Amino acid sequence: MQDLFTSFSLQVNNRVYIKNPESSALGRKIVESSINLIDNVGFEAFTFRKLGLEIHSNEASIYRYFESKYKLLLYLTSWYWSWMEYRIAFGLANIPSPEERLEKAIKLLTENIELDGSFEHINEYKLNKIVIAESSKSYMTKEVDQNNKEGFFSGYKQLVGRVSNIILEINPTYKYPHMMISTLIEGAHHQRFFAQHLPRLTDAVNGEDAIIEFSKDATFKAINAVRPIK
Amino acid sequence: MQDLFTSFSLQVNNRVYIKNPESSALGRKIVESSINLIDNVGFEAFTFRKLGLEIHSNEASIYRYFESKYKLLLYLTSWYWSWMEYRIAFGLANIPSPEERLEKAIKLLTENIELDGSFEHINEYKLNKIVIAESSKSYMTKEVDQNNKEGFFSGYKQLVGRVSNIILEINPTYKYPHMMISTLIEGAHHQRFFAQHLPRLTDAVNGEDAIIEFSKDATFKAINAVRPIK
DNA sequence: CATTTATGATAGTATTGCTATTATATTTGC
DNA sequence: GCAAATATAATAGCAATACTATCATAAATG
């Protein structure tokens, strides 16, 4: 339990912020409103000046929490992956069959996220939209190696590692577990975006969430495993 | 193939540029140097002012070809997808077996691109790196629907459609051909980036190009088809 | 109640993403 | 071969962005 608690607290690498936004009302307001604002105007048009106006606070004050809007995006995505790992850890608890655990993990990773309400200042529904549309901008940068050294992506890597291990439990000889899981996560995000904006790049199927079904089907076949029967 | 390419230029939607850069020496220089500069400094740090300095020309002159650096990126990615479709069209010519055609298409879509030299002013090797690292920034924007209406992504959609059709030839009942192909293309790009920068998100296998192998293996299994024997 | 600490208000700087203007080449059409 | 059209270069300028600095004031803490 101790082990569990330490790996699954929603801790975000403390180097992505200057001052922990969880530590004050202003900090939480910054996080809460940044999610709304990025969701509304997109990451490129998002600025700390606009955010300051929005929360009736001050640009300079926001800079005391985050060095730049990129660091704030890193904070949001890190928080998201922490949250996702927590969801998966609890969602899979007490399920003995690895096939069932894998199936559930895929569902949790690829499903549409709804507003959860567990966290006062974080709207998971909007955060998921941001992760889908903007998170690649947090690592597809010239600073990726530097950022990686500082551990900014460790939450994501840990999550991929955890789910990959379920694959290896089912089929220890499968050669590409990490590729499979990271492709599945990024792929599902892309497909949700395409379904909204570029539908010719995806396939809609009546009466099912095609993205979840596609992900489960492709994964189980790739690792030569049989999907649990409903 | 080399000779063939020199006899025609690839078609790019004429709304992404103001003046066709193929139509003048300056235009070609803009395209050629923008590829070098974006590859060097990344898309965020890339500006028309810097590009002007680089080619000993003028910021204002570049604006006569491209409305903004986003449009230039759209031009580069559109060109890339056009080029990829030609590669595939010629690469699959006269292969009767759809399984063999699919396998070859997957290879062409997911392999590492090397400098080809067919086009004077375009370095395909660097352009591929740009498409991997920056192309999502061309559609993950608030303007995506507007841009899509103007046909800026039609080359990409056409390419996905073409390869999806091979899947349907092999297995007409497979429900997710477009999802499969767009996931495979984006996925392979991500995996190449991860292999370089975030290796814990991928899997290296000695003696093979793991990304091509993973893509082929997963695709053929997903559509319940048998891979051609070497 | 004194003092540290957090926030607010304002100003300032370098860079970006353009547009406008005017001058000078270069191409072309007759 | 020359005038007229067109393309490019040089320079300037402007509003917005991405910060940093300074100083004043409010709130929390000891």
Side-chain angles (χ1 to χ4, degrees):
Chain A
M1 198 64 200
Q2 181 59 37
D3 174 45
L4 225 143
F5 187 77
T6 47
S7 12
F8 301 122
S9 62
L10 292 195
Q11 212 67 51
V12 170
N13 183 327
N14 65 8
R15 287 149 107 175
V16 305
Y17 50 75
I18 296 167
K19 183 181 171 177
N20 191 341
E22 303 265 7
S23 72
S24 76
L26 178 64
R28 289 186 295 272
K29 195 102 191 82
I30 288 171
V31 169
E32 179 178 12
S33 289
S34 70
I35 292 172
N36 290 324
L37 192 51
I38 294 173
D39 180 46
N40 273 335
V41 304
F43 186 65
E44 345 299 321
F46 167 78
T47 70
F48 280 0
R49 186 160 305 191
K50 288 177 192 166
L51 181 57
L53 285 171
E54 193 87 3
I55 61 179
H56 305 289
S57 176
N58 194 279
E59 199 185 357
S61 303
I62 300 167
Y63 275 102
R64 286 190 196 99
Y65 285 84
F66 294 102
E67 193 179 300
S68 68
K69 68 174 184 170
Y70 287 93
K71 288 283 166 71
L72 173 49
L73 182 61
L74 279 169
Y75 178 86
L76 294 177
T77 54
S78 297
W79 193 96
Y80 182 85
W81 296 122
S82 256
W83 176 69
M84 189 59 81
E85 193 170 0
Y86 165 93
R87 268 162 54 93
I88 289 178
F90 284 90
L92 307 194
N94 305 315
I95 302 179
S97 150
E99 284 83 3
E100 275 179 37
R101 268 185 285 132
L102 180 60
E103 186 170 46
K104 188 144 187 202
I106 295 174
K107 176 176 188 292
L108 289 168
L109 285 171
T110 61
E111 73 186 345
N112 243 325
I113 301 297
E114 276 157 37
L115 186 56
D116 179 306
S118 306
F119 297 87
E120 282 274 328
H121 62 298
I122 298 204
N123 181 320
E124 299 89 352
Y125 166 72
K126 290 184 182 177
L127 182 54
N128 173 248
K129 281 169 67 189
I130 290 173
V131 169
I132 287 173
E134 320 288 2
S135 73
S136 67
K137 296 165 193 167
S138 75
Y139 58 80
M140 290 278 184
T141 66
K142 283 283 157 181
E143 295 77 37
V144 59
D145 297 324
Q146 174 61 29
N147 288 344
N148 188 33
K149 261 187 204 150
E150 297 193 60
F152 295 168
F153 309 114
S154 57
Y156 188 42
K157 293 192 285 193
Q158 197 178 306
L159 174 65
V160 169
R162 170 184 289 274
V163 184
S164 300
N165 283 337
I166 309 176
I167 289 184
L168 291 176
E169 231 180 288
I170 298 172
N171 178 354
T173 69
Y174 183 62
K175 288 195 286 183
Y176 316 111
H178 299 85
M179 246 191 234
M180 189 73 235
I181 296 303
S182 61
T183 297
L184 175 157
I185 294 173
E186 302 286 336
H189 285 173
H190 268 92
Q191 294 302 320
R192 297 233 170 260
F193 186 88
F194 292 159
Q196 287 260 325
H197 301 289
L198 300 164
R200 268 178 61 195
L201 296 178
T202 189
D203 306 275
V205 179
N206 274 341
E208 66 170 42
D209 185 322
I211 295 170
I212 299 177
E213 273 309 303
F214 165 75
S215 303
K216 287 181 179 177
D217 179 70
T219 306
F220 276 91
K221 282 179 180 163
I223 66 172
N224 299 313
V226 180
R227 274 177 71 180
I229 310 145
K230 282 218 183 67
Chain B
M1 187 124 146
Q2 194 137 336
D3 295 332
L4 231 157
F5 273 139
T6 51
S7 59
F8 49 73
S9 67
L10 296 176
Q11 215 56 48
V12 170
N13 183 326
N14 65 9
R15 286 150 106 177
V16 305
Y17 50 76
I18 296 167
K19 184 180 169 176
N20 191 341
E22 302 265 8
S23 72
S24 76
L26 179 64
R28 290 186 294 273
K29 195 99 190 84
I30 288 171
V31 169
E32 179 178 12
S33 289
S34 69
I35 292 172
N36 290 323
L37 192 51
I38 295 173
D39 180 46
N40 273 334
V41 304
F43 186 66
E44 346 299 323
F46 168 78
T47 70
F48 280 0
R49 189 161 303 190
K50 287 176 193 166
L51 180 58
L53 285 171
E54 192 87 3
I55 62 179
H56 306 290
S57 175
N58 194 279
E59 200 185 355
S61 303
I62 300 166
Y63 275 102
R64 284 190 201 98
Y65 286 84
F66 294 101
E67 196 178 298
S68 67
K69 69 173 185 171
Y70 287 93
K71 287 284 166 70
L72 173 50
L73 182 61
L74 279 168
Y75 178 86
L76 294 177
T77 55
S78 297
W79 192 96
Y80 181 85
W81 296 122
S82 252
W83 176 68
M84 189 57 82
E85 195 170 358
Y86 272 100
R87 268 165 53 94
I88 289 177
F90 284 99
L92 308 194
N94 304 316
I95 301 180
S97 152
E99 284 83 3
E100 275 179 38
R101 267 185 286 130
L102 180 60
E103 186 170 46
K104 186 145 186 198
I106 295 174
K107 176 177 188 293
L108 289 168
L109 285 171
T110 61
E111 74 186 344
N112 242 325
I113 301 298
E114 275 157 39
L115 185 57
D116 180 307
S118 303
F119 296 87
E120 282 274 329
H121 62 299
I122 298 204
N123 181 320
E124 299 89 351
Y125 166 72
K126 290 184 182 177
L127 181 55
N128 173 248
K129 281 169 67 189
I130 291 172
V131 169
I132 287 174
E134 319 287 1
S135 73
S136 67
K137 295 164 193 167
S138 75
Y139 58 79
M140 291 276 184
T141 67
K142 283 283 157 182
E143 296 77 37
V144 59
D145 297 325
Q146 175 61 29
N147 288 344
N148 188 33
K149 260 187 204 149
E150 297 193 62
F152 295 168
F153 310 114
S154 57
Y156 187 42
K157 294 192 285 193
Q158 198 176 304
L159 175 65
V160 169
R162 170 186 288 272
V163 184
S164 301
N165 284 337
I166 308 175
I167 289 183
L168 291 176
E169 231 179 287
I170 298 171
N171 177 355
T173 68
Y174 183 62
K175 288 195 286 184
Y176 317 110
H178 299 85
M179 246 190 235
M180 189 73 234
I181 296 303
S182 61
T183 298
L184 174 157
I185 294 173
E186 303 286 336
H189 284 172
H190 268 91
Q191 295 302 321
R192 297 231 172 262
F193 186 88
F194 292 159
Q196 287 261 326
H197 301 289
L198 300 163
R200 269 178 61 193
L201 297 178
T202 189
D203 307 275
V205 179
N206 274 341
E208 66 171 42
D209 186 321
I211 297 171
I212 300 177
E213 273 309 303
F214 165 75
S215 303
K216 287 181 179 177
D217 179 70
T219 306
F220 275 91
K221 283 179 181 164
I223 67 172
N224 300 312
V226 180
R227 273 176 73 178
I229 312 145
K230 283 214 184 75

